[in-house]
Amino acid sequence: DQQVKQNSPSLSVQEGRISILNCDYTNSMFDYFLWYKKYPAEGPTFLISISSIKDKNEDGRFTVFLNKSAKHLSLHIVPSQPGDSAVYFCAASYNNNDMRFGAGTRLTVKP
Amino acid sequence: DAGVIQSPRHEVTEMGQEVTLRCKPISGHNSLFWYRQTMMRGLELLIYFNNNVPIDDSGMPEDRFSAKMPNASFSTLKIQPSEPRDSAVYFCASRPVGYSNQPQHFGDGTRLSIL
């Protein structure tokens, strides 16, 4: 059962533009959401998170938006840079239990 | 600070052989997770431990898979006998238990190829 879904396997954007990565979830009990970034031959690294009591969290060029009624979250990267090219995983958990990951979206930022 | 350390980084072996993957979590982290990454299913949670005790192993695909955490600084994931469909990248991650809303920290994974 895929409780966390990333329906776009890939995304390509031009350097300097906005990248928007989307994620949907089915379990309304989730209360903590995260984005991880993964480069080839490395493990995923934590990027940004948001608690269910918020609808937005910003960290530099990265902003995560949470829409609880739609069970949807998104990651915005502005401006996008070639070094942002990686696979991005959305993840969710509840009550500090184990985390469920989406299948990932491969972002390519073209110079 | 040393991160999560996994070994080996690559493993190639023949079908039917026993495979053992190793993980050393970050010191002080007492929650440990094993994941498998495949093209089709992304990152799947296999099993996780809190304070060396297995909490949820519902993601372990078959009885051929087993995991242990004999102490706070070491865990193994064993596949016996291995099959070609077990080929994947296996990740270990750790996190402090008891802290709410903490991200997991991942190792660089073991790329397993079963011929």
Side-chain angles (χ1 to χ4, degrees):
Chain A
D1 62 338
Q2 282 282 82
Q3 297 186 51
V4 178
K5 297 179 183 179
Q6 294 176 256
N7 292 319
S8 297
S10 63
L11 174 68
S12 181
V13 300
Q14 207 66 37
E15 182 179 4
R17 299 289 185 98
I18 184 172
S19 296
I20 300 176
L21 296 100
N22 294 303
C23 178
D24 298 295
Y25 60 94
T26 57
N27 190 338
S28 58
M29 298 292 291
F30 287 140
D31 58 9
Y32 183 51
F33 305 88
L34 310 90
W35 286 94
Y36 281 81
K37 177 179 180 179
K38 184 184 178 306
Y39 292 118
E42 294 182 9
T45 55
F46 170 70
L47 185 59
I48 192 169
S49 64
I50 188 168
S51 165
S52 60
I53 62 173
K54 294 185 175 181
D55 56 16
K56 176 183 175 182
N57 188 26
E58 192 171 352
D59 183 2
R61 297 186 296 113
F62 303 91
T63 303
V64 56
F65 295 92
L66 177 62
N67 183 334
K68 288 187 290 295
S69 61
K71 295 192 182 67
H72 178 84
L73 68 155
S74 60
L75 175 68
H76 293 208
I77 306 173
V78 181
S80 302
Q81 299 172 354
D84 296 330
S85 297
V87 177
Y88 289 79
F89 289 97
C90 168
S93 69
Y94 66 94
N95 201 26
N96 206 30
N97 287 313
D98 59 296
M99 208 165 284
R100 302 292 167 175
F101 284 80
T105 297
R106 181 178 301 277
L107 173 66
T108 302
V109 180
K110 298 180 177 179
Chain B
D1 285 342
V4 175
I5 300 172
Q6 291 187 245
S7 64
R9 289 297 313 273
H10 302 274
E11 175 86 18
V12 180
T13 192
E14 292 189 345
M15 180 174 115
Q17 297 298 306
E18 178 179 293
V19 173
T20 300
L21 311 182
R22 296 173 176 80
C23 176
K24 177 178 168 56
I26 292 172
S27 178
H29 286 192
N30 42 9
S31 189
L32 183 141
F33 304 79
W34 282 101
Y35 291 88
R36 177 171 68 177
Q37 183 189 15
T38 61
M39 290 293 291
M40 295 297 293
R41 299 174 67 89
L43 270 171
E44 296 177 90
L45 177 67
L46 300 177
I47 185 171
Y48 81 97
F49 297 82
N50 280 350
N51 295 315
N52 313 338
V53 176
I55 302 301
D56 183 357
D57 66 354
S58 59
M60 297 285 261
E62 298 173 33
D63 291 346
R64 299 183 296 106
F65 285 69
S66 62
K68 293 182 180 179
M69 192 164 185
N71 56 63
S73 59
F74 183 66
S75 177
T76 59
L77 178 68
K78 188 173 292 186
I79 308 172
Q80 166 64 19
S82 57
E83 297 182 3
R85 60 192 167 123
D86 302 330
S87 298
V89 181
Y90 290 79
F91 288 102
C92 176
S94 71
R95 181 185 72 190
V97 77
Y99 288 83
S100 61
N101 295 339
Q102 288 289 316
Q104 297 174 13
H105 299 261
F106 283 78
D108 284 337
T110 295
R111 181 173 294 277
L112 177 63
S113 298
I114 309 296
L115 307 177

